[in-house]
Amino acid sequence: MRRKGMLLFFALVLLWVLAACGQQTGSKGEPGQGGTAAPTGGTLIFGRGADSTALDPINVTDGESLIVTDNIFNTLVDYKPDSTEVVPSLAKEWKSSEDGLTWTFSLQEGVKFHDGTDFDAEAVVYNFNRWMDPNHPQHKGDFGYYAYMFGGFKGDPGHVIKEVVAKDKYTVEFHLNFPQAPFLNNLAMSPFGIASPAAIEKYGEKFGDHPVGTGPFKFVEWKKGDSITLEKNPDYWKKGLPKLDKVVFRSIPDNSNRFTALKNGEIDLMDGLNPEDVPSVKSNDKLQLFLRPSMNVAYLAFNTKVKPLDDKRVRQALNMTVNKKEIIDSFFAGLAEPAKNPMPPSLWGYNDQVEDYPVDLEKAKSLLAEAGYPNGFETDLWYMTEPRPYMPNGQKVAEVLQADFAKIGVKVNLVTYDWSTYLDKTGNGEHPMALMGWTGDNGDPDNFLYVLLDKDNTRTPDAGNIAFYVNDALHDLLIRAQRSTNQEERIQLYMEAQKIIHEDAPWIPLVHTTPPIAGIKEIKGYIPHPTGTESFENVSIEK
């Protein structure tokens, strides 16, 4: 774990240096570089814990949707298969101006969308205008990720992108209102998959049910609550790929039932493996175990707009009741480490000097009394029913928290909803406290601290900051970090930000997990990506 974290740290530092030193230029990528071996064909059935919420990547924020869309859409730039180092994709090369305000991308030529229309600079302009302009006729939806990563929408004071211009058929230029250090990393994120403008115009608000991109697989069918089927894109612009004929994403909510389905040959690959089932996979010569590199955090968010959780003494008191090691030993089988910050230690800028709140019930009671609640209080604690990579069993963890809080007189009623409803309601701030988690999208601290805890992301619906925590000093630090081109300065700003967050305690950070994944022995070429979303274009089944 430790060594993996350091390797990721150095890779990310190198990436940032390349992206922030002015006149940055990406390396060339050639169509067909992904592989020349003969396709092996076959169908991969991927078992997962929940269905997708929609298949328009810009209008979803959940991993279950994005792992599907990542196979239908390409982004301008992409990540390496095993890291968040940025590599070419639909853009074969790029450069930025000295002041970081202009980015120029040269696009792949001859690429087609699945509907046969051309991918070109005008398609890129159309997509970004749709995402950033609330007055665009096809700006229909929440577009949550766009606002998270680019400071809101056109007209908002913090909006990063001024305009996107097609210089010629295969050259597109981005003009920014401010430099943004993680700009290139942001563009590589799955939500920014480039969609067919013709298909968006055709389907409008229903585009999420009829996704059309340039990716390795084409959408075929969605049986809601059951499965999503994709088929091979025979005209994919990377020669020799994809290798599979078909990918089926099958929803099996219970982790144990999904593992049984794997052992029975009903599915080929599954995520959400219960940590306690890892030894069983290791001892089964028909199966193989994969471990996704840890880049996540599970947490309990306090809605800081709801009494008495608006008082930081109350939040600090609740932090002092939770024994995280016991939770890890009981439900994570050692495949997790306690969290004390909102970002994982594998990211650069992590502040290891922050000391976690100790378990101290007497101090906790004292803080409650100071806040005016000597006898405790009663409220609701929300948990998710579907297993998540950072939370294999939300109900069990919620029950432990319920018991811990009761020790200081705080009674919580456990509440839950199906995953889609849960996301909608927490994104609207309807909860007093809620279990949630986050898997990093781009390897930058901004993707954790700004998205999850900055006041900009308290906007509803689909708030990223479901604690609805507002601290102007923190906001100033995070914006300065976004706009700085000095790596050491960014590190210091994020270190300071974590101290402020710890003091205000809008969350109880719980764990950082290493999610286990199991598959049949015949699967080749599968590399779990730290972001949790990945293309199956290089995967094959060799029987």
Side-chain angles (χ1 to χ4, degrees):
M1 284 293 296
R2 187 70 177 172
R3 187 167 179 272
K4 284 182 181 177
M6 291 303 291
L7 287 172
L8 181 59
F9 171 84
F10 287 121
L12 294 170
V13 168
L14 176 61
L15 170 63
W16 188 90
V17 170
L18 291 172
C21 61
Q23 292 289 351
Q24 299 99 329
T25 303
S27 58
K28 281 192 175 182
E30 299 296 335
Q33 65 181 357
T36 56
T40 54
T43 298
L44 175 78
I45 302 177
F46 179 76
R48 61 205 184 125
D51 198 3
S52 300
T53 58
L55 297 180
D56 179 0
I58 197 62
N59 261 322
V60 296
T61 59
D62 62 305
E64 302 297 3
S65 298
L66 291 170
I67 195 171
V68 179
T69 64
D70 208 42
N71 286 278
I72 300 172
F73 298 87
N74 294 122
T75 42
L76 281 182
V77 291
D78 204 349
Y79 303 119
K80 277 190 167 181
D82 59 352
S83 75
T84 51
E85 180 179 342
V86 175
V87 296
S89 182
L90 288 175
K92 58 185 179 183
E93 57 185 4
W94 57 86
K95 63 181 180 181
S96 74
S97 59
E98 289 281 0
D99 59 9
L101 292 175
T102 302
W103 288 78
T104 305
F105 294 84
S106 298
L107 307 180
Q108 304 280 4
E109 300 179 15
V111 177
K112 297 279 189 182
F113 289 104
H114 298 158
D115 58 5
T117 58
D118 290 337
F119 163 76
D120 55 20
E122 290 294 349
V124 177
V125 172
Y126 181 95
N127 275 269
F128 275 86
N129 283 341
R130 175 194 178 220
W131 302 338
M132 71 180 177
D133 185 357
N135 295 317
H136 189 282
Q138 296 300 332
H139 187 90
K140 298 172 180 176
D142 297 337
F143 297 82
Y145 252 120
Y146 184 87
Y148 297 167
M149 307 314 300
F150 296 116
F153 300 106
K154 189 174 183 179
D156 290 340
H159 186 226
V160 172
I161 299 176
K162 183 177 182 180
E163 61 177 348
V164 184
V165 179
K167 301 300 290 183
D168 58 40
K169 189 170 178 62
Y170 295 108
T171 305
V172 66
E173 206 165 78
F174 288 70
H175 300 279
L176 309 187
N177 289 310
F178 329 96
Q180 186 187 44
F183 180 70
L184 197 61
N185 292 60
N186 290 347
L187 292 184
M189 290 169 49
S190 296
F192 305 118
I194 303 298
S196 160
I200 293 170
E201 292 291 329
K202 179 179 179 180
Y203 296 112
E205 291 183 82
K206 298 293 184 183
F207 179 76
D209 292 331
H210 305 276
V212 179
T214 60
F217 296 96
K218 301 164 63 174
F219 173 75
V220 175
E221 180 184 33
W222 187 354
K223 296 177 180 176
K224 296 291 177 73
D226 180 62
S227 64
I228 294 173
T229 300
L230 310 182
E231 67 179 10
K232 178 178 188 171
N233 174 10
D235 302 316
Y236 192 42
W237 56 278
K238 295 183 183 179
K239 292 178 182 176
L241 298 178
K243 297 178 179 178
L244 294 164
D245 291 323
K246 191 180 291 185
V247 179
V248 178
F249 295 88
R250 186 177 163 198
S251 304
I252 305 176
D254 183 81
N255 284 0
S256 296
N257 291 343
R258 199 173 329 113
F259 185 42
T260 298
L262 178 69
K263 290 186 289 186
N264 290 341
E266 298 167 29
I267 61 176
D268 304 305
L269 184 66
M270 64 166 284
D271 65 5
L273 180 72
N274 282 327
E276 60 266 27
D277 288 329
V278 167
S280 178
V281 175
K282 288 181 176 178
S283 64
N284 189 327
D285 62 7
K286 295 181 179 179
L287 302 178
Q288 57 181 319
L289 178 71
F290 304 93
L291 293 176
R292 190 180 299 286
S294 180
M295 195 170 73
N296 60 38
V297 62
Y299 59 93
L300 180 72
F302 301 121
N303 188 334
T304 59
K305 301 301 181 189
V306 174
K307 287 187 177 300
L309 301 169
D310 59 340
D311 190 318
K312 79 174 181 181
R313 294 170 295 186
V314 172
R315 303 193 298 266
Q316 290 172 337
L318 293 170
N319 263 275
M320 292 179 182
T321 69
V322 180
N323 188 324
K324 298 172 188 176
K325 185 176 185 306
E326 285 186 2
I327 291 175
I328 291 170
D329 291 344
S330 300
F331 307 118
F332 293 88
L335 289 174
E337 58 184 315
K340 60 183 181 181
N341 287 313
M343 56 187 266
S346 57
L347 290 193
W348 57 269
Y350 180 80
N351 191 341
D352 203 25
Q353 296 172 0
V354 169
E355 293 187 12
D356 202 2
Y357 289 99
V359 177
D360 187 337
L361 299 183
E362 293 308 312
K363 176 66 174 175
K365 290 176 182 175
S366 173
L367 284 169
L368 277 188
E370 285 180 26
Y373 301 94
N375 300 314
F377 58 90
E378 182 173 349
T379 187
D380 292 343
L381 188 161
W382 293 23
Y383 68 92
M384 67 286 279
T385 51
E386 287 82 354
R388 310 303 309 143
Y390 42 78
M391 186 65 66
N393 193 326
Q395 180 177 349
K396 293 295 184 186
V397 172
E399 288 170 354
V400 170
L401 296 174
Q402 181 184 46
D404 286 342
F405 295 164
K407 295 172 185 173
I408 59 170
V410 175
K411 178 183 177 183
V412 296
N413 308 302
L414 300 185
V415 175
T416 192
Y417 299 94
D418 69 85
W419 181 231
S420 181
T421 304
Y422 191 84
L423 291 174
D424 287 344
K425 286 181 170 290
T426 52
N428 274 322
E430 298 176 28
H431 56 288
M433 56 175 80
L435 283 176
M436 189 55 79
W438 185 259
T439 299
D441 297 290
N442 64 11
D444 195 289
D446 178 77
N447 182 247
F448 280 85
L449 303 184
Y450 177 74
V451 172
L452 303 179
L453 288 159
D454 189 81
K455 68 177 185 179
D456 283 349
N457 286 315
T458 59
R459 67 166 57 81
T460 58
D462 210 12
N465 176 357
I466 68 163
F468 296 89
Y469 164 56
V470 175
N471 183 308
D472 288 329
L474 176 72
H475 174 73
D476 178 62
L477 289 174
L478 296 180
I479 295 301
R480 285 168 59 196
Q482 276 188 355
R483 298 177 186 177
S484 172
T485 57
N486 182 299
Q487 171 75 350
E488 184 56 36
E489 181 185 31
R490 291 194 76 202
I491 290 173
Q492 294 306 316
L493 291 168
Y494 288 130
M495 298 273 277
E496 187 63 28
Q498 287 164 83
K499 288 196 290 187
I500 293 174
I501 294 165
H502 176 76
E503 170 64 21
D504 286 349
W507 294 1
I508 299 178
L510 292 171
V511 297
H512 307 292
T513 70
T514 301
I517 300 163
I520 59 174
K521 278 290 186 188
E522 291 82 1
I523 290 176
K524 307 294 182 187
Y526 174 62
I527 302 173
H529 197 268
T531 63
T533 55
E534 56 223 347
S535 168
F536 292 131
E537 66 181 14
N538 268 304
V539 174
S540 62
I541 297 178
E542 299 180 10
K543 294 183 177 178

